[in-house]
Amino acid sequence: MKSPRPARAAPDTGLAQERLLLSEVLKLIGKSLAPDVVLREMLHLLSELLGLNRGRLVLLEGKAEARIAHAYGLTRTEVARGRYASGEGITGMVLATGQSVIVQDIDQEPRFLFRSVRRDQLPPQTVAFLAFPVTIEGRTVGVLACHRIRSRQRALSDDLALLRLLATLAGQVLQLESLVRRETEALQAQNALLRDALAAAASREGIVGSAPALLKSLQDLDRVSGSSATVLLLGESGTGKELFARAVHRASPRRDGPFIKVNCAAIPETLFESELFGHEKGAFTGAASARSGWFERAHGGTLFLDEIGELPLAMQSKLLRALQERTIVRLGGRNEIAVDVRLVAATHRSLSHDVELGRFRQDLYYRLNVVPLRLPALRERRQDIRALALHFLGRANQEHQRNVHLAPQALQWLEEQDWPGNIRELGNLIERAVLLADATHLSADALAVWAESKTSTPPVPGLGSSPQGELRDYRSIDSHSAEQLLEVLRRHHGNQTRAARELGLTPRQFAYRWKRHSPTILDA
């Protein structure tokens, strides 16, 4: 009597396992295209659900050699041994021909190498080896292979059909991953070019750095520069608002026109109207001739009103009218003068808060706040401190004919500071250190000393300083002409304290002479 043949597994059981395997693999592909995750789990499920063991995915490295890139059921040593040349063994044959190979009994196949897994590590019964090509765009890039015990209840044809499908899926995963990687690399390269371009363009304007916060401000600047819209620069003192204002002007269609800067904090309240709108002859005592104001001088270009939060309320309404009507009337005059001016304003104050307190007109605030552009504080772009320090160092060395260097520890110390005065404070410290350093190599300790002494800077030759700080020798009221006062004040961008220091005066002495010479200066 013949012994009964082993019962075959119910067809629906094998089909359910295949569906479960494919469902899990597709879920993984939906979540991630990382081959390490998807392909290893595919090999895991092949073993756990269908008993196709020691699965591996062999991928080409270069043109003629391949190695096991993903595996399940193999030790690290076995994976490391899995290297094949094209045409070498069964795996190499599949790579070379692009055709699948079915080995019914590996012990009877002379081309089977037993390279990765030794024969004594395999089951003693007959073992089959199934290998399928993995292709991308018609090119064989790898091999999906596994061991199979021949005496199985599941039909070989079912296993072959599933493996062929999984090899196709593996190729698609690898192709998608390759496409995503290439696109990502292309985007990264493009972003790097854009960052370099922005940094290069910014450097030409004196804006140094590549921190994300700065690049965001530069991108916003680039978007608005081509229009004629009013720009409001917001940020703490010392963040480089004037440089940004000049960058807006030079990137605009008005680049060939004048760029006029007015520091609202440096103009006495009684002179605002004459400074901005000009005056006619005889408008006030000493007005011996007519004089154009900053609006007229900026015609066809850009007018930069720095510290606009300091503008007196009485002038705010007149400024609003000039912006809305695009006309001005000189002090003492009757005729309207058309002006074509693009306004860039800047402030470190919260204008919205000033509006609530009644210090700033709400309608003017809305008129200025068309395109607000925020400048980041230096503490928000610490990665730029080193580049800025070296930029200021090179400039100070050139201007003062020095050859001072910063030690690596000094640069690190600079990066660790808070810089409440932002870029201006950093630049001033570097210049002070270059001027006053005894050595050519500045250490962190030396910088710390100069930083602590910033409120009582030692005398610098040529700046009119004295050991008594704010005390000065007696000077006659006529010690400086109106032209001298105006020239020095312009050189220091309206900063009376610095102008006074250069002339050897106290700020009070300078202010007194400025007020006394005001009628003459207005006629200049």
Side-chain angles (χ1 to χ4, degrees):
M1 181 180 233
K2 293 183 179 180
S3 58
R5 298 180 62 182
R8 291 174 59 97
D12 57 341
T13 303
L15 183 60
Q17 290 172 327
E18 287 186 14
R19 287 177 176 173
L20 178 59
L21 186 150
L22 292 172
S23 173
E24 293 300 315
V25 170
L26 292 175
K27 284 181 184 177
L28 282 173
I29 295 175
K31 293 179 181 178
S32 171
L33 289 178
D36 286 345
V37 176
V38 177
L39 300 177
R40 189 179 186 282
E41 185 61 19
M42 176 192 296
L43 299 172
H44 170 218
L45 293 173
L46 271 178
S47 176
E48 295 297 323
L49 294 178
L50 300 179
L52 298 174
N53 299 319
R54 286 169 288 280
R56 79 287 307 268
L57 185 65
V58 180
L59 296 179
L60 280 172
E61 280 189 343
K63 295 183 178 180
E65 188 178 26
R67 68 173 182 86
I68 295 178
H70 308 282
Y72 183 80
L74 300 180
T75 66
R76 290 183 179 180
T77 301
E78 291 170 340
V79 169
R81 289 199 297 257
R83 289 185 170 274
Y84 309 90
S86 179
E88 183 184 21
I90 301 300
T91 300
M93 183 189 306
V94 176
L95 284 170
T97 64
Q99 301 294 321
S100 57
V101 174
I102 313 302
V103 178
Q104 294 280 8
D105 185 351
I106 57 177
D107 295 321
Q108 302 301 318
E109 175 53 65
R111 290 173 296 181
F112 195 82
L113 302 176
F114 295 101
R115 174 169 295 170
S116 180
V117 184
R118 308 301 186 197
R119 183 62 182 92
D120 58 7
Q121 299 297 314
L122 295 173
Q125 58 263 51
T126 302
V127 177
F129 185 73
L130 316 178
F132 289 82
V134 175
T135 61
I136 295 179
E137 297 177 350
R139 179 173 57 91
T140 301
V141 298
V143 177
L144 174 65
C146 63
H147 287 132
R148 179 183 189 272
I149 302 300
R150 197 166 73 175
S151 56
R152 281 165 51 88
Q153 295 180 341
R154 179 178 161 86
L156 175 62
S157 59
D158 293 341
D159 288 344
L160 298 180
L162 179 63
L163 285 170
R164 189 174 289 108
L165 176 59
L166 292 180
T168 302
L169 275 176
Q172 291 175 344
V173 169
L174 293 172
Q175 183 175 7
L176 287 172
E177 189 268 341
S178 177
L179 289 172
V180 170
R181 185 177 66 253
R182 288 202 298 269
E183 288 292 328
T184 302
E185 290 172 352
L187 287 173
Q188 289 173 341
Q190 185 178 13
N191 287 338
L193 289 174
L194 289 173
R195 283 196 302 271
D196 292 343
L198 283 170
S203 295
R204 288 194 294 270
E205 304 296 342
I207 302 172
V208 177
S210 58
L214 177 66
L215 294 181
K216 172 63 168 60
S217 298
L218 289 171
Q219 288 172 341
D220 293 342
L221 181 152
D222 188 55
R223 292 191 189 99
V224 305
S225 294
S227 71
S228 295
T230 299
V231 176
L232 180 60
L233 301 176
L234 304 171
E236 299 175 9
S237 294
T239 49
K241 291 188 279 291
E242 182 180 350
L243 292 177
F244 268 78
R246 291 185 182 276
V248 169
H249 172 69
R250 291 175 183 171
S252 74
R254 298 171 179 265
R255 64 179 65 88
D256 295 327
F259 175 83
I260 303 296
K261 177 200 171 184
V262 180
N263 188 342
C264 298
I267 302 175
E269 187 170 347
T270 55
L271 301 181
F272 261 111
E273 186 170 1
S274 177
E275 286 288 299
L276 287 178
F277 305 126
H279 64 262
E280 296 291 354
K281 180 179 179 180
F284 51 83
T285 303
S289 62
R291 176 179 178 271
S292 60
W294 296 122
F295 260 92
E296 287 183 75
R297 298 182 191 184
H299 181 74
T302 302
L303 177 62
F304 174 43
L305 296 183
D306 196 10
E307 299 298 350
I308 197 166
E310 307 299 327
L311 196 67
L313 275 170
M315 283 300 302
Q316 292 177 22
S317 60
K318 296 181 179 181
L319 174 61
L320 177 62
R321 181 182 179 280
L323 294 176
Q324 291 177 336
E325 304 295 333
R326 295 184 177 274
T327 59
I328 56 101
V329 177
R330 288 180 177 177
L331 182 63
R334 297 181 179 179
N335 298 326
E336 291 186 343
I337 301 173
V339 288
D340 176 22
V341 172
R342 200 257 181 94
L343 182 69
V344 177
T347 182
H348 70 280
R349 302 171 59 135
S350 171
L351 293 185
S352 59
H353 183 61
D354 285 349
V355 168
E356 293 176 0
L357 296 177
R359 297 174 182 167
F360 204 86
R361 291 181 62 102
Q362 187 177 51
D363 46 6
L364 178 58
Y365 170 66
Y366 290 144
R367 185 65 181 78
L368 296 174
N369 200 38
V370 176
V371 181
L373 201 160
R374 181 181 174 276
L375 277 59
L378 191 52
R379 61 180 173 275
E380 300 175 56
R381 37 181 297 216
R382 290 187 181 276
Q383 68 191 71
D384 289 340
I385 291 176
R386 182 178 296 258
L388 283 164
L390 294 175
H391 169 75
F392 291 132
L393 181 68
R395 189 172 70 181
N397 277 328
Q398 183 176 5
E399 288 182 1
H400 303 294
Q401 296 183 350
R402 302 294 300 273
N403 187 27
V404 177
H405 303 280
L406 290 171
Q409 295 82 359
L411 289 169
Q412 182 177 351
W413 181 86
L414 290 172
E415 292 176 326
E416 294 170 352
Q417 306 311 303
D418 289 333
W419 303 112
N422 293 296
I423 301 169
R424 183 185 295 120
E425 182 184 3
L426 173 62
N428 289 346
L429 173 60
I430 297 296
E431 185 171 16
R432 185 185 309 118
V434 168
L435 280 168
L436 304 175
D438 296 327
T440 59
H441 216 61
L442 282 176
S443 65
D445 291 340
L447 284 179
V449 170
W450 295 127
E452 291 173 1
S453 64
K454 63 185 175 183
T455 56
S456 56
T457 305
V460 179
L463 294 185
S465 302
S466 70
Q468 287 79 27
E470 286 295 279
L471 295 177
R472 300 289 189 276
D473 295 335
Y474 171 77
R475 298 291 184 92
S476 167
I477 187 63
D478 298 317
S479 61
H480 299 88
S481 67
E483 290 77 16
Q484 285 179 300
L485 295 178
L486 187 60
E487 176 61 29
V488 174
L489 193 63
R490 284 173 175 167
R491 187 156 58 245
H492 289 281
H493 308 294
N495 189 309
Q496 291 191 12
T497 301
R498 292 183 182 177
R501 184 179 299 156
E502 178 173 339
L503 294 174
L505 301 171
T506 66
R508 183 175 176 275
Q509 289 171 335
F510 184 94
Y512 186 79
R513 284 161 176 75
W514 175 265
K515 183 176 181 181
R516 183 174 182 273
H517 286 301
S518 290
T520 305
I521 293 172
L522 287 173
D523 290 336

